[in-house]
Amino acid sequence: MQLPEYYPQFFTATILEWKHLLKEDKYKDIITESLRFLVSNKRVKVIAFVIMPNHIHLIWQIQANHKREDVQRDFLKFTAQQIRFDMQAHHPEWLKEVKVNAKDRKYQFWERNTLSTDLFTHPVFMQKLEYIQRNPIQEKWQLSNLPEEYRYSSALFYETGVDNWGFLTHYRD
């Protein structure tokens, strides 16, 4: 049975207790590689993204025959596992930042409650797209002067049409 195609969704995942564990580019690269994998395996279309020091925002569209819960779970589990492997090998002292006292796990990277909102209307979709693009230049962050200057974002793609990530789909496509 083929499932209906989902609406695009605004998805936010936050690092446990808002810790800045994604400051390291190698951890941002784990996230982009995971997104590339999901796209190449036709599980999602990634329309926009930004990776901030302690959270990520995506506009993605889950593809037919895949369940939103499964894609989200697999994405978060895989990225957490890869970051943990790197920390164990290169920064074991950082593991104390994500150690939890839970029955089912020793470490936790992502907050349990992610935000996933269907984008039913074009105005709401565009508002979320602009929010993602402008996130790095907000006064709170000041990670770049212009949205397209921040590397870990889809803003340059929307400014130039060039997909340096190899996994983006323009919202008009």
Side-chain angles (χ1 to χ4, degrees):
M1 175 179 124
Q2 181 156 334
L3 297 173
E5 203 167 295
Y6 290 93
Y7 282 96
Q9 296 166 335
F10 177 73
F11 176 77
T12 299
T14 305
I15 296 294
L16 184 67
E17 299 173 352
W18 291 85
K19 293 177 182 165
H20 288 214
L21 296 179
L22 298 176
K23 285 174 80 173
E24 297 281 327
D25 285 354
K26 64 182 174 177
Y27 298 147
K28 292 184 203 88
D29 291 339
I30 287 170
I31 292 169
T32 59
E33 285 302 315
S34 184
L35 292 172
R36 186 174 289 107
F37 174 83
L38 291 172
V39 169
S40 69
N41 283 277
K42 296 181 177 21
R43 295 182 76 185
V44 300
K45 287 183 181 177
V46 176
I47 299 163
F49 78 99
V50 66
I51 304 171
M52 302 297 286
N54 63 2
H55 66 283
I56 63 171
H57 296 298
L58 306 170
I59 296 177
W60 64 2
Q61 188 168 17
I62 309 299
Q63 296 301 286
N65 295 322
H66 296 283
K67 293 181 181 176
R68 174 173 62 187
E69 308 81 43
D70 294 346
V71 172
Q72 290 175 0
R73 179 201 62 227
D74 294 350
F75 171 71
L76 295 173
K77 183 177 178 181
F78 177 80
T79 54
Q81 185 179 55
Q82 294 304 305
I83 292 169
R84 179 176 53 88
F85 289 158
D86 181 83
M87 285 181 173
Q88 286 173 324
H90 303 289
H91 311 285
E93 69 281 6
W94 293 359
L95 285 172
K96 70 180 183 296
E97 294 293 321
V98 293
K99 191 168 180 129
V100 293
N101 189 12
K103 291 181 182 178
D104 65 338
R105 68 191 67 216
K106 190 174 181 177
Y107 303 104
Q108 184 174 336
F109 291 86
W110 299 105
E111 289 282 354
R112 290 223 184 243
N113 297 324
T114 59
L115 172 69
S116 188
T117 305
D118 286 329
L119 302 177
F120 295 114
T121 68
H122 185 71
V124 172
F125 180 97
M126 295 308 292
Q127 184 271 331
K128 296 300 185 190
L129 179 63
E130 184 173 328
Y131 177 78
I132 286 173
Q133 312 274 18
R134 299 190 61 72
N135 215 219
I137 64 168
Q138 289 178 354
E139 189 174 327
K140 174 183 177 181
W141 294 107
Q142 298 179 348
L143 297 173
S144 66
N145 291 320
L146 298 170
E148 60 271 17
E149 291 175 350
Y150 184 66
R151 179 170 180 225
Y152 288 94
S153 162
S154 54
L156 184 64
F157 171 67
Y158 281 96
E159 183 68 25
T160 67
V162 177
D163 180 7
N164 291 327
W165 298 103
F167 61 74
L168 292 168
T169 297
H170 197 287
Y171 73 88
R172 289 189 211 121
D173 294 341

